[in-house]
């Protein structure tokens, strides 16, 4: 994939601009300036329409040899070198944050009894100190990529630990983490150190040398695929109809659009419509010269918005760094030439790149020197003192083959779910390599884990998420199988023999009914699972009930702010066991479709409900809802949290009382137990009344929220800077402790605990410690004589 070529006259103008300084220098003789002679414009090749639009001729695809020559045409390395620097820098910032170096000890603490979810069950984390060493290697590799120092080795040092950590935990997978690994993998093969690199300073052959065109092609193709396939995935009906990210339009970033659009239209047209359009068209618009400025504006605006909307680490900035790859490869040189000369000594070079053995140069024409330059920065023909042109060798052929193979693989993987059927659930595959970003949103209403002793028949329940550090396993059958297998092994330590594990997980995807995701009657420990076969214990998504979402909106619009509703759908022959909390003093069930029997467990009574009927449910008791119709039943719970309502009323009365006392309208003295409400929430007071304590907590939250809302830009920046500083500080100190442990051995446990506590200190804790140290220090006698 190559950006558009320009007309021949533009290429000629660029060449003349390069030669102007040399001509001016030769015109100065003995300190006098001669009038420059008229410049003779050399003849240039007339570029065809095909080359002007796409950067190559159809003839370049007529044979394998011509295709290899095209893929290895000499191209300016400047843009690639700048992207290498930016990518390395962003990865250096990413590793302590999203990669988890700052909290590595929480995740991989030695002896931690926890279930893990690697891609391959044989893959296990190393001991904690060795995991820190793995991250040090990864960080060193990212730093080496940024500086272009020992480039190939740095790429390997980054890529190998990165993919090891990536495969170690499927619960952290997402599309942008996958993209980082792909770009790092590509850097292993491309010549990213031919411009603005330390390797170039040490090796003259690598300094400012041409790179083959395929180095750019593979990166541009990757970014094009990210945009375009993300757009294709957004052609899903849920996205087009505005259900995927229904609540996103409430963010303040969309307030300007709400000046002319309603909330519903902002969600439909701006969030979903504009997002779909941008993803489908961004790659094409970046490709062509005429549309590139418009594309750069919109994709930059899009990624800047995403950096505020989502917690996605360095992804937005990485995508911003990829956009200039679609521009002329020599754009950094042209930018540097416009800067003051004083700055050029520390900036990348502006000289024309030197020839490289990695490229294929066309045979020069001795009688008339011609040189045409396409927008991809490659040169169709050129001269070098009359030397013979080069022909493609094995290295060039392998580069072209790798480019084709890699692009085909990337086009296949997002649609390879028919092969890896075991990873398919309601959505296809593991989230993270299909570019289906933000297409599906989920909410979980009910999760129950039941175990049964295989010998005694004893039944018990586990807290959802026990022995795990994540809850992402709830949506993926492969992780559920790993979790059940792990629980089966751990329960042996708690005198449970041959445990059977059953999961009852209720999920709503894109605002549909809450329904069970897996068959709650199947023992997942013994259940069959294969990455290449469909899960037989996966329950189908009730897609035919999707039109009910319009009815949901109608029902919700009739409720007041204190009333909540949950919509449930269940399969024939199954039942939902539920418990109504005592806080929910006004709970009812109403049937929307089908037929159900409601059993009140304590009363041992059954009530049959048909479409349109309902009943009150007693608080503080279990009940079961059996689906007895031949088709799926649909019903809704309508409830009011009476405890929360009473609490809110009491807190409101306390707030009104406080305001009356403060403005003098309250003449009666306050009881002693209510006096704390007059003091600030930060003051130290002995409060025993739960209501007063809740009031003070709410006041504290309100004050903190108001303080953040009214904070200046400087205050927000300082808060952000302090947060990042202490994260990087902890990363550095914990890494130093672990490396010391590897070299010298672990110190006594008490000393190690003190070191970890010091590394984990936050700003407030350090201020308190510093203040305490000052108070404990001996005071000097400052009395004057």
């Amino acid at each position: 994939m190559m950006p558009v070529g320009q007309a021949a006259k533009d290429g000629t103008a660029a060449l003349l601009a390069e030669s102007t300084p040399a001509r001016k220098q030769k015109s100065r003789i003995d300190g006098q300036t001669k009038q420059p002679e008229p410049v003779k414009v050399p003849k240039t090749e007339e570029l065809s329409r095909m080359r002007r639009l796409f950067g190559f001729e159809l003839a370049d695809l007529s044979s394998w040899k011509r295709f290899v020559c095209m893929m290895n045409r000499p191209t300016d390395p400047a843009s690639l070198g700048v992207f290498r620097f930016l990518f390395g820098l962003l990865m250096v910032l990413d590793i302590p944050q999203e990669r988890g170096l700052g909290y590595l000890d929480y995740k991989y603490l030695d002896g931690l009894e926890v279930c893990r979810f690697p891609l391959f069950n044989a893959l296990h984390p190393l001991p904690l100190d060795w995991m820190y060493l793995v991250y040090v290697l990864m960080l060193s590799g990212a730093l080496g990529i940024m500086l272009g120092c020992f480039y190939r080795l740095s790429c390997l040092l980054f890529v190998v630990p990165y993919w090891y950590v990536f495969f170690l935990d499927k619960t952290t997978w997402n599309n942008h983490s996958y993209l980082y690994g792909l770009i790092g993998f590509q850097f292993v093969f491309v010549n990213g150190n031919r411009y603005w690199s330390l390797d170039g300073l040490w090796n003259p052959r690598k300094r400012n040398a041409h790179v083959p065109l395929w180095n750019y092609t593979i990166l541009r193709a990757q970014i094009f695929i990210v945009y375009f396939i993300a757009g294709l995935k957004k052609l899903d009906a849920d996205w087009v109809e505005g259900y995927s990210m229904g609540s996103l339009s409430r963010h303040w970033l969309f307030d300007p659009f709400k000046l002319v659009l309603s909330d519903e239209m902002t969600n439909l047209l701006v969030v979903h419509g504009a997002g779909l359009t941008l993803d489908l068209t961004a790659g094409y618009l970046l490709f062509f010269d005429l549309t590139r400025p418009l594309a750069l504006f919109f994709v930059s605006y899009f990624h800047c918005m995403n950096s505020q909307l989502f917690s996605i680490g360095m992804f937005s900035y990485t995508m911003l760094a990829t956009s200039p790859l679609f521009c002329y490869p020599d754009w950094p040189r042209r930018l540097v030439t416009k800067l003051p000369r004083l700055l050029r000594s520390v900036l990348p070079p502006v000289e024309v790149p030197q020839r490289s053995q990695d490229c294929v140069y066309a045979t020069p024409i001795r009688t008339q020197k011609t040189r045409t330059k396409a927008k991809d920065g490659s040169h169709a023909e050129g001269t070098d003192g009359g030397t013979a042109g080069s022909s493609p060798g094995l290295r060039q052929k392998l580069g072209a083959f790798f480019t084709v193979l890699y692009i085909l693989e990337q086009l296949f993987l997002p649609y390879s779910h028919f092969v890896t059927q075991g990873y398919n659930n309601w959505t296809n595959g593991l989230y993270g390599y299909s570019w289906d970003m933000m297409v599906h949103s989920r909410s979980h209403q009910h999760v129950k884990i039941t175990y049964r002793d295989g010998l005694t028949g004893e039944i018990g329940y586990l807290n959802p998420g026990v022995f795990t550090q994540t809850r992402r396993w709830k949506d993926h059958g492969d992780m559920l199988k790993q979790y059940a297998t792990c629980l089966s092994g751990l329960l042996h330590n708690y005198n449970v023999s041959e445990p059977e594990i059953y999961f009852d997980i209720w999920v709503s995807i894109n605002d549909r009914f809450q329904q069970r995701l897996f068959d709650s009657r199947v023992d997942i420990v013994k259940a069959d699972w294969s990455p290449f076969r469909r899960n037989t214990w996966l329950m189908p998504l009730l897609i035919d009930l999707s039109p009910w979402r319009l009815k949901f909106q109608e029902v919700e619009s009739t409720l007041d702010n204190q009333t909540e509703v949950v919509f449930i759908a269940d399969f024939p022959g199954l039942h939902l066991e539920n418990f109504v909390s005592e806080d929910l003093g006004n709970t009812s069930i109403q049937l929307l479709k089908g037929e159900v029997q409601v059993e009140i467990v304590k009363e041992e009574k059954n009530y049959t409900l048909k479409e349109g009927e309902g009943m009150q449910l007693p608080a503080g008791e279990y009940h079961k809802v059996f689906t007895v119709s031949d088709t799926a039943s649909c019903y809704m719970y309508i409830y009011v949290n009476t405890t929360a309502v009473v609490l809110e009323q009491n807190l409101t009365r306390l707030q009104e009382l406080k305001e009356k006392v403060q403005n003098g309208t309250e003449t009666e003295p306050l009881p002693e137990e209510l006096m704390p409400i007059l003091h600030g929430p930060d003051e130290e007071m002995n409060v025993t009344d739960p209501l007063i304590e809740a009031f003070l907590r709410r006041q504290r939250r309100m004050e903190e929220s108001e303080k953040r809302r009214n904070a200046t830009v400087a205050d927000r920046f300082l808060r952000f800077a302090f947060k990042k500083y202490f994260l990087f500080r902890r990363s550095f100190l914990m890494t130093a402790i672990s490396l010391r442990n590897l070299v010298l051995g672990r110190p006594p446990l008490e000393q190690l605990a003190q070191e970890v506590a010091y590394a984990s200190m936050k700003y407030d804790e350090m201020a308190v410690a510093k203040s305490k140290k000052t108070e404990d220090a001996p005071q000097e006698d400052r009395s004057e004589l």
Side-chain angles (χ1 to χ4, degrees):
M1 183 177 298
M2 296 163 288
V4 173
Q6 197 181 26
K9 61 180 182 180
D10 295 333
T12 304
L15 293 176
L16 294 176
E18 293 173 0
S19 60
T20 299
R23 292 197 303 271
K24 286 184 178 181
Q25 184 176 4
K26 292 178 182 179
S27 67
R28 296 182 178 272
I29 301 177
D30 297 331
Q32 296 181 355
T33 304
K34 294 183 178 181
Q35 293 294 330
E37 297 181 0
V39 179
K40 295 181 180 181
V41 179
K43 280 188 176 183
T44 58
E45 285 186 341
E46 187 67 27
L47 296 182
S48 67
R49 181 180 178 84
M50 179 71 181
R51 186 169 176 85
R52 289 199 306 271
L53 287 177
F54 297 101
F56 62 91
E57 303 283 359
L58 283 176
D60 292 330
L61 307 177
S62 61
S63 68
W64 172 246
K65 181 178 180 181
R66 298 199 65 166
F67 176 76
V68 172
C69 291
M70 178 185 68
M71 285 288 98
N72 288 275
R73 285 200 309 232
T75 311
D76 197 309
S79 183
L80 180 62
V82 171
F83 176 65
R84 182 215 74 235
F85 176 86
L86 294 176
F87 177 76
L89 173 62
L90 292 170
M91 292 302 98
V92 168
L93 298 175
D94 176 82
I95 289 171
Q97 299 181 80
E98 194 170 3
R99 291 319 108 205
L101 178 59
Y103 47 88
L104 198 62
D105 52 319
Y106 296 119
K107 190 171 185 178
Y108 296 114
L109 185 65
D110 294 339
L112 196 62
E113 199 173 58
V114 65
C115 297
R116 304 194 185 278
F117 304 91
L119 179 61
F120 308 106
N121 290 330
L123 196 62
H124 300 286
L126 300 173
L128 178 61
D129 292 335
W130 288 98
M131 286 300 298
Y132 272 102
L133 180 60
V134 169
Y135 271 74
V136 167
L137 295 177
M138 190 192 334
L139 187 62
S140 302
L143 187 61
I145 292 174
M146 181 184 76
L147 299 176
C149 180
F150 300 107
Y151 173 71
R152 302 291 181 193
L153 176 62
S154 295
C155 289
L156 291 174
L157 287 178
F158 172 75
V159 168
V160 174
Y162 187 94
W163 283 105
Y164 166 69
V165 172
F166 186 80
F167 289 147
L168 202 57
D169 188 4
K170 290 182 292 187
T171 66
T172 61
W173 282 22
N174 51 46
N175 288 278
H176 60 267
S177 296
Y178 173 58
L179 178 63
Y180 299 161
L182 293 179
I183 294 176
F185 174 73
Q186 292 175 42
F187 269 129
V188 173
F189 299 95
V190 304
N191 297 328
N193 62 338
R194 298 305 193 259
Y195 185 79
W196 204 21
S197 68
L198 293 181
D199 287 347
L201 294 178
W202 302 331
N203 190 339
R205 294 177 57 187
K206 296 180 180 179
R207 185 186 310 146
N208 194 24
H210 281 135
V211 297
L213 178 59
W214 68 265
N215 285 195
Y216 282 95
T217 301
I218 197 170
L219 286 166
R220 291 166 178 162
Q222 181 67 76
I223 304 307
F224 178 88
I225 288 172
V226 171
Y227 281 120
F228 186 65
I229 294 188
L232 293 180
K233 296 298 179 99
K234 287 181 174 61
L235 291 174
D236 182 88
D238 285 355
W239 183 277
V240 174
E241 295 173 9
Y243 289 109
S244 294
M245 303 294 293
S247 61
L248 192 62
S249 60
R250 301 170 189 170
H251 197 279
W252 63 267
L253 280 173
F254 295 96
D255 288 348
F257 300 102
K258 297 177 185 177
L259 297 176
V260 293
L261 297 173
S262 64
D263 290 350
E264 293 77 10
M265 295 307 294
T266 300
N267 172 63
L268 184 62
L269 297 180
V270 179
V271 176
H272 292 88
L276 169 63
T277 303
L278 185 137
D279 279 339
L280 283 176
T281 60
Y284 294 103
L285 296 178
L286 286 168
F287 187 83
F288 294 103
D289 292 346
L290 185 62
T291 56
R292 188 175 301 119
L294 184 68
L296 288 173
F297 171 77
F298 279 110
V299 298
S300 299
Y301 181 74
F302 173 73
H303 293 304
C304 289
M305 287 186 67
N306 284 345
S307 69
Q308 301 300 312
L309 290 170
F310 309 109
S311 298
I312 50 179
M314 297 293 110
F315 178 54
S316 299
Y317 311 107
T318 303
M319 293 303 293
L320 287 172
T322 63
S323 296
L325 286 173
F326 290 87
C327 300
Y328 284 84
D330 64 344
W331 68 264
R333 302 181 194 274
R334 290 184 279 117
L335 177 63
V336 172
T337 57
K338 300 181 183 299
L339 298 177
R341 288 185 177 274
L342 294 176
L343 299 177
R344 295 185 189 178
S345 60
V346 295
L347 291 175
V350 297
E351 294 81 9
V352 176
Q354 64 171 322
R355 292 172 67 96
S356 170
Q357 294 180 349
D358 298 318
C359 303
V360 175
Y361 293 85
T363 303
I365 302 175
R366 294 176 180 275
T367 58
Q368 180 178 302
K369 297 179 181 181
T370 62
R371 190 184 187 210
T372 58
K373 181 180 179 182
K375 285 296 289 288
D376 54 25
S378 60
H379 302 278
E381 296 197 37
T383 61
D384 187 31
T387 57
S390 57
S391 59
L394 179 61
R395 180 189 304 178
Q396 286 76 21
K397 293 175 182 178
L398 289 176
F401 178 76
F402 171 71
T403 302
V404 174
L405 183 65
Y406 181 85
I407 293 174
L408 291 176
E409 177 262 345
Q410 282 298 299
L411 291 172
F412 170 75
L413 267 184
Y415 298 97
S416 63
H417 309 304
F418 67 93
V419 178
T420 56
Q421 296 185 56
Y423 295 104
N424 297 343
N425 299 287
W426 290 347
T427 57
N428 287 329
L430 285 168
Y431 180 74
Y433 67 93
S434 299
W435 313 121
D436 50 351
M437 294 169 279
M438 307 299 176
V439 177
H440 305 105
S441 60
R442 297 174 175 84
S443 64
H444 299 81
Q445 182 68 27
H446 178 77
V447 178
K448 184 173 72 172
I449 305 176
T450 305
Y451 71 85
R452 180 179 180 274
D453 192 306
L455 295 181
T456 65
E458 179 186 357
I459 295 177
Y461 302 94
L462 298 176
N463 181 36
V466 66
F467 300 120
T468 69
Q469 299 170 323
T470 177
R471 294 196 174 187
R472 198 166 177 179
W473 53 266
K474 294 182 294 187
D475 299 315
H476 301 277
D478 58 300
M479 297 188 199
L480 200 73
K481 176 65 176 179
Q482 288 177 308
Y483 188 35
T485 303
C486 176
L487 287 177
S488 176
L490 292 174
L491 287 177
H492 284 289
N493 301 331
Y494 297 88
N495 298 322
V496 179
S497 303
E498 301 180 10
E500 303 170 2
I501 310 292
Y502 302 89
F503 294 90
D504 196 13
I505 301 173
W506 292 74
V507 187
S508 168
I509 185 167
N510 291 344
D511 294 337
R512 288 182 175 85
F513 279 102
Q514 291 278 344
Q515 65 161 96
R516 62 182 83 238
L517 178 56
F518 303 105
D519 194 336
S520 58
R521 301 165 296 185
V522 175
D523 173 19
I524 304 300
V525 176
K526 298 177 182 177
D528 181 49
W529 182 86
S530 167
F532 307 110
R533 293 195 303 271
R534 188 183 69 86
N535 288 345
T536 57
W537 33 275
L538 172 70
M539 305 299 287
L541 177 64
L542 297 172
I543 196 73
D544 57 312
L545 299 178
S546 297
W548 277 87
R549 289 180 289 192
L550 295 175
K551 179 67 174 179
F552 298 167
Q553 297 174 2
E554 295 178 8
V555 172
E556 290 170 346
S557 64
T558 63
L559 303 178
D560 56 39
N561 294 332
Q562 298 175 346
T563 305
E564 302 288 341
V565 61
V566 178
F567 300 96
I568 304 291
D570 202 4
F571 295 91
L574 299 180
H575 73 275
L576 167 65
E577 183 178 15
N578 206 354
F579 177 79
V580 179
S581 171
E582 295 180 354
D583 295 330
L584 309 181
N586 185 13
T587 302
S588 64
I589 181 173
Q590 294 188 16
L591 190 65
L592 302 174
K593 180 184 176 182
E595 183 177 348
V596 300
Q597 284 186 353
V598 181
E599 176 187 349
I600 308 300
V601 176
K602 186 176 180 179
E603 299 178 2
E604 297 183 352
K605 291 184 179 180
N606 293 334
Y607 303 87
T608 301
L609 299 180
K610 297 185 178 180
E611 187 172 329
E613 298 179 346
M615 62 175 291
Q616 289 291 122
L617 296 173
E621 295 185 19
Y622 280 95
H623 67 274
K624 297 179 182 179
V625 182
F626 295 85
T627 298
V628 296
S629 54
D630 295 332
T631 58
S633 63
C634 305
Y635 51 93
M636 61 180 176
Y637 286 101
I638 301 177
Y639 61 94
V640 176
N641 191 328
T642 53
T643 302
V645 171
V646 173
L647 176 62
E648 183 62 30
Q649 293 173 349
N650 291 332
L651 294 176
T652 301
R653 281 197 291 267
L654 288 176
Q655 181 64 31
E656 293 174 350
L657 181 60
K658 178 181 178 180
E659 293 174 355
K660 289 180 180 180
V661 173
Q662 289 177 340
N663 60 30
T665 57
E666 178 64 40
T667 59
E668 296 292 331
L670 283 181
E672 184 67 26
E673 62 271 14
L674 296 182
M675 290 301 294
I677 69 172
L678 300 179
H679 300 276
D682 295 329
E683 296 185 23
E684 294 285 343
M685 301 197 66
N686 185 18
V687 179
T688 57
D689 190 334
L691 179 60
I692 303 300
E693 188 176 356
F695 177 81
L696 294 177
R697 281 200 306 268
R698 189 172 77 160
Q699 291 292 107
R700 190 179 300 111
R701 288 196 302 268
M702 292 173 60
E703 288 186 6
E704 292 175 354
S705 177
E706 187 70 18
K707 183 178 179 180
R708 286 195 299 267
R709 191 181 302 113
N710 297 329
T712 63
V713 175
D715 292 335
R716 295 182 181 184
F717 175 77
L718 286 175
R719 183 171 177 269
F720 170 81
F722 275 122
K723 180 180 178 181
K724 297 302 179 183
Y725 164 74
F726 283 102
L727 176 65
F728 282 88
R729 173 184 177 272
R730 188 179 196 279
S731 301
F732 173 78
L733 292 177
M734 292 298 298
T735 301
I737 293 171
S738 293
L739 295 181
R740 188 274 318 274
N741 294 344
L742 289 175
V743 176
L744 303 177
R746 290 192 175 184
L749 188 60
E750 183 178 353
Q751 177 185 339
L752 189 61
Q754 292 176 351
E755 293 173 347
V756 173
Y758 176 74
S760 305
M761 290 178 69
K762 299 293 191 299
Y763 176 74
D764 294 337
E765 296 172 344
M766 291 191 70
V768 171
K770 185 177 180 180
S771 174
K772 187 176 186 299
K773 185 177 180 180
T774 303
E775 292 175 0
D776 295 342
Q779 300 294 323
E780 296 181 2
D781 187 2
R782 298 182 181 273
S783 59
E784 297 182 358
L785 295 176

